[in-house]
Amino acid sequence: MSVNKPRGNTQRAKGEEGVRPGFHLSLDWDSIFSSPKSTLAWGIFFLMTGIILEVSFLSYIVTGLADQSVVDAFGQESIRDAGRQTRNFLGVVGATFSHIFVYRWFGVGALLLPIVPILAGWKIAFGKELLPLTRATKEVVFYILWVSALMGYIVLMSNTENTLSFVSGGIGYMINVWLFDWLKWGSILPIIFALFVFAVYFYDAKNLLDKWQTKPEKEEEPEIAVAGNPATIVTEEQGTDVESKPEPVKEIEYVSVVNDTYDDDVVPETEESKEEEEPVIQNNSHVLEVINKEEVSKLAVTPVITPFVATQVNGSNVDVELELEVADALTPKDAVEIPDDEDVNASILREFGQYDPMLDLPSYQFPTYNLLSDVIDNQHEKVTQEELESNKTKIVETLGSYGINISKIKATIGPTVTLYEIIPEAGVRISKIKNLEGDIALSLAALGIRIIAPMPGRGTIGIEVPNKNRETVFIRSVLMNERFQKSTYDLPIVLGKTISNEIHIADLAKMPHLLMAGATGQGKSVGLNVILASLIYKKHPAELKFVLVDPKKVELTLFNKLERHFLAKLPNADEAIITDTKKVIFTLNSLCIEMDSRYDLLKEAAVRNLKEYNAKFAQRRLNPEKGHRFLPYIVLVIDELADLMMTAGKEVETPIARLAQLARAVGIHLVVATQRPSVKVITGLIKANFPARLSFRVTSSIDSRTILDMGGAEQLVGQGDMLLAINSEVIRLQCPFIDTREIEDVCEFIGGQRGYDEAYALPEYEGDEGSESRSEVNTDDFDGLLPEAARLIVTHQQGSTSLIQRKMKLGYNRAGRIMDQLELIGVVGPFTGSKARDVMFHDLNGVDDHMRSMGISG
């Protein structure tokens, strides 16, 4: 099992894959591009490129359009003939480049273009910058466009486009043609305004103007004060000669000492005293004010400084020997200390600002709502007043026929069902009304009703009656809702509309996992698509990654176009959508490795969850050189769990249960769906870690209790009608509808944008050694009854040797050997003492396929 490697914002680098053992590259690419010889060669190459371009452009401007016909006919005649006709100093190459950059694009502004390769070549070849390369490049780009636009204005206004069109170039001329349609002669105004804006932002013209208007006052010399000594030392700043005028302080005159000139009576300074002459000592003060930090560091490490300096006091020369105790002079306010990590992080934060992961894809655009179908508001589908009154009358009459009188009844119309809340008279038992569910459904001629007795927190009894004409909830209407737009959830998902027609939004990060179930055709796949669409419309690709598992191979394939934006996969995997069972096992175990590595990072960062970790990383309080990186949320989506449990069993159940138990804090969340909510699929280990369950219509009340721990899902009307159970609270919702075409349009919109180089790389997982050894097992010596024993074990879900003895009428020794062989091929787990062995398969088809893959038939 390999260890996960740290990754940066740009995902897994190709260079991390390494070189296979026994395979050696014949070329040392690093030495080719980084050796001194190569550096010099590349530098000269860029210098020559810049010079060639400059000479070509100058020659083209001098010769005008003389080479136009040669360039137009290029390719129709030989290069030799074209070269003879060309008047450009650099022949066909110079004429071609000049035609493109000068005539077609930038005009005389193209003369500035060669500055960039010349500066770059000089820096590469000689290691020095003639001008700051980055700043110069920005200036060159702007002035090329600006000069082209200015020349275009001159050419257009002077009506000389037939003779001087090459002066402005095609771009400058077209800009002015467009501006002229709007502003006529006033098109010069936006050109001048562009120069003004560039000067303000690039050269910070406002600050320069402020400095010019405000005359700086006379700078005071830096001073260091020593108590009880009237002598003051005034010295130069950074080796320059500074002459300061004497200032009267309490009848004491101070005269500065200058390096190069001395009075006859002044003793010249020595080299040792010269080094320690930077501070200025002021009388009767314990405050140390220092400008040069390097001098402060010298003082901090020198216990006693005894400079010998000549000064002049009241016209007489006095040799003053000062003994400066640094510990006494430095106050806590000004004391120099070695900065700790917090100070370093604070300075980095001030310089660079907070880290923004979205800058990896700065041009990414969120999908627009125009990609989704318009809301169709059909008034005839609404519940009519006659239908409401008729249902109320029938409910009251049905209950009255059984001696149950109603004191009050209230109706709430929803998109799928209408909720009738009744308040029975005193003395009526709730269980009596609950038992009349079938009778009420018969009187209303409804597809199926659901009685909620009592309604939580309301003191009423609810009767949900399906509407005759259902209202379709379109996904565009819910995603454009203000509640979703302003949602601050970490992972907001829209689940649908409630009975009171309110949008229900949940936070997947707090669920923290979602278990979905529903019979075929009841809206389960549409619900998964709605969840994915909600997250895509709300989150940036840098913040969220999907791991999509689709055993049916057709439900999630449309999201393949999001591979370089939102999807995560195993290294070297062919497709990001996982359909093969073996790759599903590897992916789940890879996510477990990712989870463990994230917990290690959280431990080193001293935080408790992913949100705190990313906030700390954004504040630049974590060092990327120590393996820290921005961690996106990962959402694992499994479309059909039942198929995986049939074919893999424990190999799938164990990593899913482990992720469900631990992955919440590190930002890994699961959305698992199945159409068979049986106890063999939704085992107790999985179910215990999924507090949020969502059920579409199921076929029986047993399935409803399996998924929701209560009945009611069998009474749903289908087509997106569902029950959501979170923290013992059950809500009935109508799932929004999203069409296949809408998914295609959204995925094409995102997939057509610039993405990462590859999908988000999960840690490598190569499987256990045990599974490899089982694939190499010699099956020739296996017992002939092994296949029959395997089917017996899977049918009874009991890995017991005594079961094989009783059912197959075998002796203990032979049954024990068969059990060992079953463990060897992976049908049962290892020996666990007195307890029965774990059975790794839950379905006969799955174990038969496994044995055929092992070469065992029978």
Side-chain angles (χ1 to χ4, degrees):
M1 184 182 299
S2 61
V3 181
N4 185 20
K5 300 177 181 178
R7 300 180 299 277
N9 281 327
T10 54
Q11 308 297 330
R12 181 184 182 88
K14 295 181 180 180
E16 290 180 3
E17 296 177 359
V19 182
R20 292 177 294 174
F23 181 79
H24 300 283
L25 295 174
S26 58
L27 294 176
D28 187 356
W29 296 103
D30 291 338
S31 63
I32 290 178
F33 290 103
S34 61
S35 65
K37 295 180 180 179
S38 299
T39 302
L40 181 61
W42 280 108
I44 299 301
F45 169 77
F46 282 113
L47 281 171
M48 290 181 60
T49 301
I51 295 173
I52 288 173
L53 291 176
E54 190 68 38
V55 172
S56 302
F57 298 163
L58 288 172
S59 176
Y60 185 84
I61 292 174
V62 172
T63 58
L65 301 177
D67 296 333
Q68 183 70 31
S69 59
V70 178
V71 175
D72 292 338
F74 187 68
Q76 300 177 0
E77 57 184 9
S78 65
I79 296 177
R80 176 176 295 179
D81 294 338
R84 290 173 179 174
Q85 300 175 26
T86 303
R87 295 182 58 186
N88 193 286
F89 293 163
L90 294 179
V92 176
V93 173
T96 303
F97 278 112
S98 302
H99 178 75
I100 294 173
F101 285 99
V102 179
Y103 180 77
R104 289 188 178 180
W105 289 354
F106 307 120
V108 294
L111 293 174
L112 300 172
L113 180 64
I115 295 176
V116 176
I118 290 174
L119 292 178
W122 188 276
K123 181 178 179 181
I124 294 173
F126 306 109
K128 297 181 180 179
E129 286 187 338
L130 295 176
L131 293 173
L133 182 59
T134 304
R135 182 180 180 87
T137 302
K138 296 177 182 178
E139 290 178 300
V140 166
V141 171
F142 172 79
Y143 285 117
I144 286 176
L145 297 174
W146 189 82
V147 169
S148 178
L150 181 63
M151 292 295 104
Y153 178 81
I154 296 174
V155 170
L156 186 64
M157 293 302 167
S158 61
N159 293 323
T160 56
E161 55 267 19
N162 294 329
T163 57
L164 297 178
S165 59
F166 66 92
V167 175
S168 63
I171 293 178
Y173 184 76
M174 292 306 299
I175 290 175
N176 281 274
V177 169
W178 180 79
L179 289 175
F180 187 80
D181 294 338
W182 288 84
L183 298 171
K184 297 297 182 180
W185 64 268
S187 56
I188 189 63
L189 298 178
I191 298 175
I192 297 175
F193 180 71
L195 179 63
F196 172 75
V197 171
F198 183 79
V200 168
Y201 284 95
F202 192 79
Y203 298 113
D204 203 1
K206 186 176 184 303
N207 286 343
L208 294 177
L209 183 62
D210 293 341
K211 292 180 180 179
W212 178 75
Q213 291 177 344
T214 305
K215 295 182 180 180
E217 297 180 358
K218 180 181 177 180
E219 296 182 0
E220 297 182 0
E221 295 291 339
E223 300 177 348
I224 295 181
V226 175
N229 199 318
T232 300
I233 306 171
V234 184
T235 61
E236 306 81 36
E237 217 175 340
Q238 298 181 353
T240 60
D241 294 340
V242 178
E243 184 175 355
S244 63
K245 297 181 180 180
E247 295 181 7
V249 179
K250 294 184 181 181
E251 300 179 355
I252 300 178
E253 297 181 358
Y254 306 97
V255 181
S256 62
V257 179
V258 184
N259 265 349
D260 298 333
T261 60
Y262 300 95
D263 295 334
D264 296 336
D265 298 330
V266 178
V267 180
E269 28 178 41
T270 62
E271 290 295 326
E272 295 179 357
S273 63
K274 183 178 179 180
E275 295 178 356
E276 313 191 84
E277 182 183 292
E278 274 301 308
V280 176
I281 305 175
Q282 185 180 5
N283 185 29
N284 297 329
S285 175
H286 292 280
V287 180
L288 177 64
E289 298 178 355
V290 184
I291 300 297
N292 194 333
K293 295 183 178 179
E294 295 181 358
E295 297 298 329
V296 176
S297 62
K298 293 178 182 179
L299 294 178
V301 297
T302 308
V304 178
I305 302 176
T306 311
F308 180 78
V309 183
T311 62
Q312 189 175 18
V313 182
N314 292 331
S316 61
N317 295 333
V318 180
D319 293 340
V320 181
E321 182 173 344
L322 302 178
E323 187 168 303
L324 177 61
E325 295 289 344
V326 176
D328 295 333
L330 292 175
T331 62
K333 175 183 177 181
D334 301 298
V336 179
E337 298 179 357
I338 298 176
D340 57 8
D341 291 340
E342 294 295 333
D343 295 334
V344 173
N345 294 331
S347 63
I348 294 175
L349 183 62
R350 285 193 299 269
E351 182 177 356
F352 298 101
Q354 284 201 355
Y355 173 81
D356 186 2
M358 299 183 187
L359 294 180
D360 284 351
L361 297 178
S363 59
Y364 175 79
Q365 296 180 357
F366 285 82
T368 62
Y369 296 101
N370 295 331
L371 301 172
L372 305 175
S373 299
D374 291 334
V375 179
I376 303 175
D377 189 9
N378 296 324
Q379 296 294 332
H380 66 276
E381 292 185 355
K382 303 293 183 180
V383 178
T384 62
Q385 186 66 28
E386 291 77 8
E387 182 180 348
L388 286 176
E389 294 297 333
S390 175
N391 288 339
K392 284 182 181 180
T393 303
K394 291 178 181 179
I395 290 173
V396 172
E397 290 177 352
T398 302
L399 294 176
S401 63
Y402 289 95
I404 301 174
N405 296 324
I406 304 301
S407 62
K408 186 178 180 181
I409 184 168
K410 174 187 174 184
T412 303
I413 303 173
T416 305
V417 298
T418 300
L419 173 65
Y420 296 90
E421 295 183 67
I422 61 175
I423 301 177
E425 291 183 348
V428 178
R429 300 182 62 180
I430 294 177
S431 59
K432 190 174 181 180
I433 299 177
K434 182 71 175 175
N435 294 333
L436 296 176
E437 188 174 72
D439 298 286
I440 297 174
L442 178 62
S443 65
L444 296 174
L447 181 62
I449 68 169
R450 177 171 171 260
I451 295 181
I452 310 170
M455 293 283 292
R458 295 192 183 182
T460 60
I461 296 174
I463 302 176
E464 294 175 347
V465 181
N467 299 332
K468 292 182 180 179
N469 297 314
R470 300 180 54 178
E471 176 188 354
T472 302
V473 179
F474 292 92
I475 189 170
R476 179 171 178 172
S477 65
V478 294
L479 293 184
M480 293 182 67
N481 186 272
E482 186 178 3
R483 287 188 59 200
F484 180 75
Q485 295 289 328
K486 296 182 178 180
S487 172
T488 57
Y489 290 156
D490 295 326
L491 294 175
I493 55 176
V494 174
L495 296 178
K497 276 189 176 182
T498 63
I499 291 179
S500 58
N501 279 297
E502 294 180 355
I503 305 298
H504 186 82
I505 304 172
D507 189 1
L508 182 61
K510 293 182 179 179
M511 281 185 170
H513 312 294
L514 180 62
L515 185 60
M516 301 175 61
T520 303
Q522 302 304 315
K524 178 169 48 62
S525 297
V526 174
L528 282 177
N529 292 336
V530 169
I531 291 174
L532 293 174
S534 302
L535 295 172
I536 289 172
Y537 266 88
K538 198 68 176 176
K539 306 302 288 185
H540 190 275
E543 302 173 303
L544 176 65
K545 301 298 175 184
F546 294 117
V547 178
L548 303 182
V549 177
D550 183 15
K552 292 189 287 188
K553 304 181 181 180
V554 295
E555 296 294 344
L556 301 176
T557 52
L558 295 176
F559 295 95
N560 246 329
K561 299 175 183 178
L562 306 181
E563 178 175 342
R564 296 186 301 111
H565 294 84
F566 281 102
L567 300 189
K569 66 177 183 179
L570 291 172
N572 303 321
D574 297 332
E575 296 181 354
I577 310 295
I578 307 153
T579 57
D580 183 68
T581 303
K582 186 175 181 181
K583 292 181 180 179
V584 171
I585 297 172
F586 285 6
T587 302
L588 293 176
N589 285 280
S590 174
L591 279 174
C592 291
I593 299 173
E594 173 77 9
M595 176 185 68
D596 293 335
S597 81
R598 289 188 171 202
Y599 266 113
D600 292 337
L601 293 177
L602 264 63
K603 177 183 176 182
E604 294 176 5
V607 294
R608 298 176 59 185
N609 55 56
L610 181 82
K611 192 172 183 179
E612 295 177 3
Y613 177 87
N614 283 340
K616 201 169 184 178
F617 187 85
Q619 295 170 1
R620 303 188 184 274
R621 298 167 60 191
L622 301 175
N623 189 353
E625 295 182 356
K626 296 181 180 179
H628 293 289
R629 62 188 188 279
F630 184 86
L631 300 178
Y633 286 97
I634 297 178
V635 177
L636 168 64
V637 179
I638 301 178
D639 186 38
E640 185 50 71
L641 179 63
D643 184 74
L644 297 179
M645 296 296 289
M646 286 171 54
T647 54
K650 293 288 182 181
E651 292 180 285
V652 170
E653 180 185 1
T654 302
I656 288 179
R658 189 160 183 264
L659 289 170
Q661 290 170 350
L662 301 174
R664 170 186 181 178
V666 293
I668 301 177
H669 303 277
L670 281 64
V671 178
V672 180
T674 180
Q675 59 182 343
R676 289 182 52 198
S678 64
V679 293
K680 292 183 179 179
V681 176
I682 305 177
T683 63
L685 191 60
I686 293 178
K687 187 176 177 181
N689 295 287
F690 282 82
R693 289 92 172 267
L694 192 153
S695 178
F696 294 87
R697 187 181 182 184
V698 294
T699 55
S700 66
S701 60
I702 297 176
D703 290 344
S704 176
R705 294 183 184 277
T706 301
I707 182 69
L708 298 176
D709 292 332
M710 61 176 295
E714 75 281 1
Q715 300 290 348
L716 300 175
V717 295
Q719 296 183 352
D721 189 19
M722 61 185 181
L723 292 176
L724 174 65
I726 301 179
N727 300 325
S728 70
E729 181 184 0
V730 180
I731 306 172
R732 189 166 186 172
L733 301 170
Q734 174 62 42
C735 180
F737 176 74
I738 183 171
D739 194 9
T740 302
R741 183 195 60 78
E742 296 174 283
I743 301 174
E744 290 179 347
D745 292 343
V746 171
C747 293
E748 286 181 0
F749 178 84
I750 298 175
Q753 301 183 47
R754 176 183 174 271
Y756 296 101
D757 295 335
E758 55 186 5
Y760 185 86
L762 296 174
E764 294 181 359
Y765 178 79
E766 300 177 354
D768 335 341
E769 297 179 357
S771 61
E772 296 177 1
S773 63
R774 286 197 294 268
S775 62
E776 300 174 357
V777 168
N778 184 9
T779 60
D780 296 338
D781 298 333
F782 280 175
D783 197 295
L785 296 178
L786 181 66
E788 183 180 351
R791 297 187 190 98
L792 177 67
I793 291 294
V794 172
T795 302
H796 290 80
Q797 287 295 299
Q798 182 181 355
S800 171
T801 305
S802 60
L803 177 67
I804 299 177
Q805 285 182 270
R806 294 194 313 271
K807 297 295 183 179
M808 301 182 67
K809 299 178 181 180
L810 301 176
Y812 178 78
N813 292 336
R814 187 177 182 184
R817 286 195 299 272
I818 292 176
M819 183 60 69
D820 292 337
Q821 293 168 6
L822 290 174
E823 178 188 354
L824 192 61
I825 65 174
V827 176
V828 297
F831 178 70
T832 57
S834 59
K835 296 181 180 180
R837 297 171 184 251
D838 292 332
V839 181
M840 301 300 178
F841 294 88
H842 299 282
D843 188 88
L844 292 178
N845 293 331
V847 73
D848 287 342
D849 293 341
H850 178 70
M851 286 192 294
R852 279 195 295 270
S853 66
M854 299 286 296
I856 303 171
S857 60

